[in-house]
Amino acid sequence: EMPRIATLTFAGKSSSFGIYRAQKVWGNNRIGNFIFDDHVGRYTYITYKNFNSKFSFESTIMFPEVYLGGNHDTVDYGSKRRLFLAHRFDIPMGESMKLTVSENVMYLASYFFDFQYLNPATIYHNNINSSQFNAIAHVEYEYAPLPGLAIYAQLAIDQGTVPFFEKTKEDQAIGISLGSEYAFALSKGICDVNLEVLYATPALYRRDAPDFVITDSSQISGGYLSIPSFTYIGLKYGGDTLAVRLDGEYKSIDTKFYGSETLLLKGGFDLYQKYSPASFVGEFLSGEPELSSITEFGAEKSFVLWKTDCSAFANISLVYDNSELDCQVAIGLKASLSTRKK
C-alpha cells in the first residue's frame, strides 16, 4: 500500500494545522494506550493544535475507514458514516508533573454531518442526539518525583459510575493503567527499567451505541472472501483484559540490549462477538479467562562500513497462547541510505 504515510502540516509560533495519514499516539504505555495507539499502522485525521508555556490544546477529527461489504458480505455501517471527535488539554503542573484531559466521542452521522461539531470549542456532551454518540473520557497523569524516575497513569471511561465498580444495572466500561520507569547510569551506558499494570473491563469500546471498533487498513483474504482486519481504536487487546509488562534496556553509544515480558489474562468476550447491554454486570473478567505470555529479547550493534552507518540486530520472541508456544527469530543488517561525511 503506497504511500503508507502522508502528511500536510501548516505551523506557526503557537499553533499548527495538519492533515495526516499516519500513526498517532496519546500516552506512554508500552502495553497499549486507550485512545490512540501505535498498534494501528495509520489513522486518517485532521488536527488543530494551540500551545504556549501554560497549556496546549488539541482538536482532532479522525475518519475511520468504512467497510461497505461485497456482494455477500455484511456491511460495516452501511450508508452511515462515523467520525471520531477528540479534544485534548495538556496542563503542566510545575516542572515535574503534567495532567492531560480529553473528551472524545464516536459520532455517527445518520443523514448528514452537523457542522457545529467542527467547532473546536464545542463540548460534545451538550448534544441532544445521544443515539449518535458514544463518549469516552480520558485522563493521563505524569509525575517525575526524582531524577530518572517517572510515574504515569491513564484512565479511560466509556461508561461508568463513581465510585467505580459499584453494583449497577449497566456494564462498567472502564480502562485503567499504572506504570513506572527508572533510568540510571551503568558503566558506559544507560539502563532503563519499566513496569506497567493495566486493566480493562469487558464492555470497554463495545457499547450498543456507535462502538470503537475500526479497520486497520489491511485485508484478510481467503478463497473468494476478502475482508478488512478489524481492531480497537486504542488498546489492541480491547476490553476484558488484565495485563502486566516488565521491560529492561541497556544502551551505550553503539550497543543496545533489551528484553520484555508481558503476562496477559484475557476473558472470554472477544472482538467478533456481539455485545448486548448489561451482559457483564459485576464481572471482573468474563467467561473462563486464559493466560498468555509474550517474551522478547534482543541486541543491536551499530558500526560504520564503507563510510555508511550500519547496524546488526538479532531478536527472539516467544509467544505462549492457548497452550501453544510459538517462537520467532529475526537476524538482520540495516544500513542508512546516506553516507557519512569525511
Side-chain angles (χ1 to χ4, degrees), residues 150-167:
I151 299 172
Y152 54 93
Q154 290 188 41
L155 173 66
I157 307 175
D158 184 359
Q159 175 175 280
T161 57
V162 180
F164 299 135
F165 312 120
E166 71 175 3
K167 292 184 178 180

Side-chain angles (χ1 to χ4, degrees), residues 113-122 124 126-129 133:
F113 180 74
D114 193 335
F115 287 92
Q116 68 170 312
Y117 301 120
L118 291 176
N119 183 348
T122 297
Y124 300 131
N126 290 339
N127 74 82
I128 60 175
N129 300 310
F133 287 86

Side-chain angles (χ1 to χ4, degrees), residues 63-331:
F63 307 91
E65 188 168 352
V66 178
Y67 175 53
L68 297 178
N71 294 331
H72 305 289
D73 297 339
T74 301
V75 299
D76 185 4
Y77 276 89
S79 60
K80 301 177 182 179
R81 295 294 181 269
R82 291 183 302 163
L83 300 174
F84 185 67
L85 313 176
H87 288 167
R88 174 181 167 98
F89 287 92
D90 281 329
I91 308 170
M93 306 174 69
E95 297 182 355
S96 61
M97 191 181 305
K98 185 175 75 171
L99 180 67
T100 304
V101 180
S102 66
E103 181 199 27
N104 319 286
V105 296
M106 187 66 80
Y107 169 63
L108 181 65
S110 298
Y111 301 101
F112 63 93
F113 180 74
D114 193 335
F115 287 92
Q116 68 170 312
Y117 301 120
L118 291 176
N119 183 348
T122 297
I123 303 300
Y124 300 131
H125 282 74
N126 290 339
N127 74 82
I128 60 175
N129 300 310
S130 59
S131 63
Q132 292 182 274
F133 287 86
N134 188 359
I136 181 168
H138 186 233
V139 179
E140 300 171 48
Y141 175 75
E142 300 175 25
Y143 179 48
L146 299 170
L149 176 63
I151 299 172
Y152 54 93
Q154 290 188 41
L155 173 66
I157 307 175
D158 184 359
Q159 175 175 280
T161 57
V162 180
F164 299 135
F165 312 120
E166 71 175 3
K167 292 184 178 180
T168 68
K169 296 181 180 180
E170 297 181 329
D171 292 321
Q172 301 277 19
I174 298 168
I176 188 169
S177 68
L178 177 64
S180 64
E181 183 175 14
Y182 183 59
F184 56 94
L186 180 63
S187 185
K188 297 182 180 181
I190 299 294
C191 188
D192 183 278
V193 180
N194 181 280
L195 177 64
E196 289 180 4
V197 180
L198 180 147
Y199 170 67
T201 62
L204 183 66
Y205 298 131
R206 298 303 300 271
R207 300 284 299 279
D208 54 335
D211 61 25
F212 298 99
V213 176
I214 63 173
T215 66
D216 64 2
S217 300
S218 60
Q219 298 282 330
I220 300 175
S221 300
Y224 295 99
L225 181 64
S226 180
I227 63 173
S229 173
F230 290 95
T231 187
Y232 298 102
I233 192 172
L235 180 66
K236 63 181 177 181
Y237 304 113
D240 218 4
T241 298
L242 177 64
V244 179
R245 174 165 172 161
L246 177 65
D247 285 78
E249 178 183 281
Y250 175 78
K251 188 174 183 179
S252 63
I253 296 176
D254 58 357
T255 305
K256 181 172 73 171
F257 299 96
Y258 60 90
S260 68
E261 175 66 33
T262 302
L263 296 177
L264 190 69
L265 194 62
K266 280 289 294 179
F269 185 59
D270 63 31
L271 178 67
Y272 296 99
Q273 290 179 284
K274 183 178 180 181
Y275 172 75
S276 298
S279 299
F280 308 107
V281 175
E283 292 192 38
F284 185 77
L285 295 174
S286 69
E288 297 181 3
E290 294 186 354
L291 179 66
S292 59
S293 70
I294 304 171
T295 304
E296 183 178 6
F297 53 92
E300 186 171 336
K301 176 72 173 180
S302 301
F303 58 94
V304 177
L305 181 64
W306 298 320
K307 300 180 181 180
T308 301
D309 291 323
C310 302
S311 63
F313 66 90
N315 177 274
I316 299 176
S317 296
L318 300 173
V319 179
Y320 175 79
D321 185 28
N322 197 24
S323 301
E324 296 183 355
L325 180 64
D326 178 62
C327 178
Q328 300 177 1
V329 179
I331 300 174

